[in-house]
Amino acid sequence: MSKIAIVVDSTGCIDPKTVEELNIFISYIVILFGTEALQEFKEVTPEMFVQKSGQMKDLPSTSQPSPGQVMELYDSIFAEGFEEIIHIAISEALSGTYQNAVNVGRDYDGKVHVVNSRQIAFPQGNMAVQAAKMAQAGKSAAAILSKMEELSRASGLAAAIADLTNLKKGGRLSNASAALGGLLNIKPIIAITPEGKVEAVNKVRTFKKALKGIVSHLEEQKLTDEYELCVLHMENPKDAAVVHEELTALFPNIDIQIRPISLVLAVHAGPGAVAIGWGKKA
């Protein structure tokens, strides 16, 4: 039986306790505040992110780990005695991290398998958690990889945008559109597409309606108790708690987590954003 290690990008938003319990390895994506480079969650907290990004004229940017850093991580894992690696990467449509890992993995004689999760945040992290549980249960790399494809299709995320500032800074909204949106209190709802892209799926008046909108979007998915759910937020615990309460009433048999949202996603979603992520159990 091959000893398989699970790697996931830091965008997966996995609770540190779970990371430790399942021995999951994290590949850290970097948030760039001008020339200052800080590793997501490890060196920059959500609170720091909001403070620093609010002081910048332009948006913070993100940077994938260098090939050397990925190689160093893989080498350290094999040095621990693992025989294969499965790396659950952020959606290829959102970052070059997946292709970077694929390029590095070619040097390991087929022992590194990189998965394009087509997800970000909790759905991506849930895939890694399920993969780690399968690895601990002695499942083969082939079985885990097949399950990851299934879980990717069964996962999703929808987010309510509280503040249009970051969308404006990032060029996703013109100054006029942002000004009009602010004047009319229009709040976009964004979601992950099956191809792994982030797109606006609706625009509503008031953030309260946007929060209702993401709950309605989740209801449309017809989820069962086989799913895991998580409320994600960018320094907005109050509204996250409201959404959590609504979801708990809808899914009384599911233990629903509340976690900070991926800072990579927050670059565009901005402060105050609240999201719901879902993914199936293996």
Side-chain angles (χ1 to χ4, degrees):
M1 182 176 67
S2 177
K3 190 178 179 186
I4 301 169
I6 305 301
V7 173
V8 65
D9 300 325
S10 54
T11 47
C13 306
I14 305 174
D15 179 82
K17 183 179 178 182
T18 302
V19 169
E20 184 177 356
E21 288 175 350
L22 295 176
N23 199 23
I24 296 171
F25 295 86
I26 306 296
S27 178
Y28 288 97
I29 291 181
V30 169
I31 311 294
L32 297 168
F33 300 94
T35 58
E36 185 179 18
L38 299 172
Q39 290 180 319
E40 180 184 26
F41 291 127
K42 185 177 183 180
E43 297 175 332
V44 56
T45 65
E47 183 181 9
M48 290 167 61
F49 175 89
V50 171
Q51 181 183 22
K52 285 178 173 291
S53 60
Q55 295 170 347
M56 296 176 64
K57 180 181 178 181
D58 299 317
L59 275 184
S61 57
T62 61
S63 176
Q64 64 199 39
S66 69
Q69 288 172 319
V70 176
M71 187 176 293
E72 184 178 346
L73 174 61
Y74 290 171
D75 286 345
S76 68
I77 291 171
F78 285 122
E80 288 189 29
F82 287 94
E83 298 168 10
E84 291 185 87
I85 291 173
I86 294 176
H87 185 156
I88 312 296
I90 180 177
S91 172
E92 184 181 16
L94 301 177
S95 171
T97 302
Y98 165 78
Q99 191 58 54
N100 183 36
V102 168
N103 293 340
V104 173
R106 291 193 181 105
D107 293 334
Y108 291 87
D109 299 323
K111 296 177 181 178
V112 172
H113 316 277
V114 186
V115 176
N116 174 15
S117 70
R118 298 192 294 277
Q119 299 292 340
I120 189 175
F122 176 78
Q124 176 199 358
N126 178 66
M127 289 174 63
V129 167
Q130 302 308 318
K133 289 179 178 179
M134 291 182 72
Q136 286 192 351
K139 301 296 183 182
S140 68
I144 296 172
L145 292 170
S146 176
K147 179 61 70 171
M148 291 305 100
E149 182 61 33
E150 175 190 330
L151 295 187
S152 174
R153 293 193 300 269
S155 302
L157 179 139
I161 307 301
D163 188 332
L164 300 180
T165 303
N166 282 32
L167 287 174
K168 175 184 172 183
K169 284 183 177 180
R172 303 297 175 95
L173 285 178
S174 68
N175 288 352
S177 295
L180 182 61
L183 183 66
L184 298 178
N185 202 20
I186 291 173
K187 307 299 181 185
I189 297 172
I190 62 174
I192 297 287
T193 70
E195 298 77 30
K197 299 178 181 179
V198 176
E199 290 185 356
V201 293
N202 201 359
K203 294 177 183 178
V204 296
R205 297 282 292 274
T206 79
F207 188 58
K208 186 176 181 180
K209 288 184 178 179
L211 296 175
K212 292 284 186 183
I214 60 174
V215 173
S216 297
H217 185 83
L218 179 67
E219 286 186 275
E220 293 170 5
Q221 310 308 311
K222 308 294 184 184
L223 305 186
T224 66
D225 292 349
E226 296 177 284
Y227 281 78
E228 302 276 4
L229 289 173
C230 183
V231 179
L232 301 139
H233 69 95
M234 175 44 61
E235 288 296 284
N236 189 357
K238 181 179 177 182
D239 287 323
V242 171
V243 172
H244 184 271
E245 185 177 352
E246 291 192 27
L247 292 182
T248 300
L250 288 171
F251 301 97
N253 297 324
I254 298 178
D255 182 21
I256 303 168
Q257 303 177 45
I258 298 180
R259 299 282 302 139
I261 203 166
S262 163
L263 303 185
V264 173
L265 183 57
V267 165
H268 298 292
V274 177
I276 301 170
W278 61 93
K280 204 172 183 181
K281 299 175 185 176

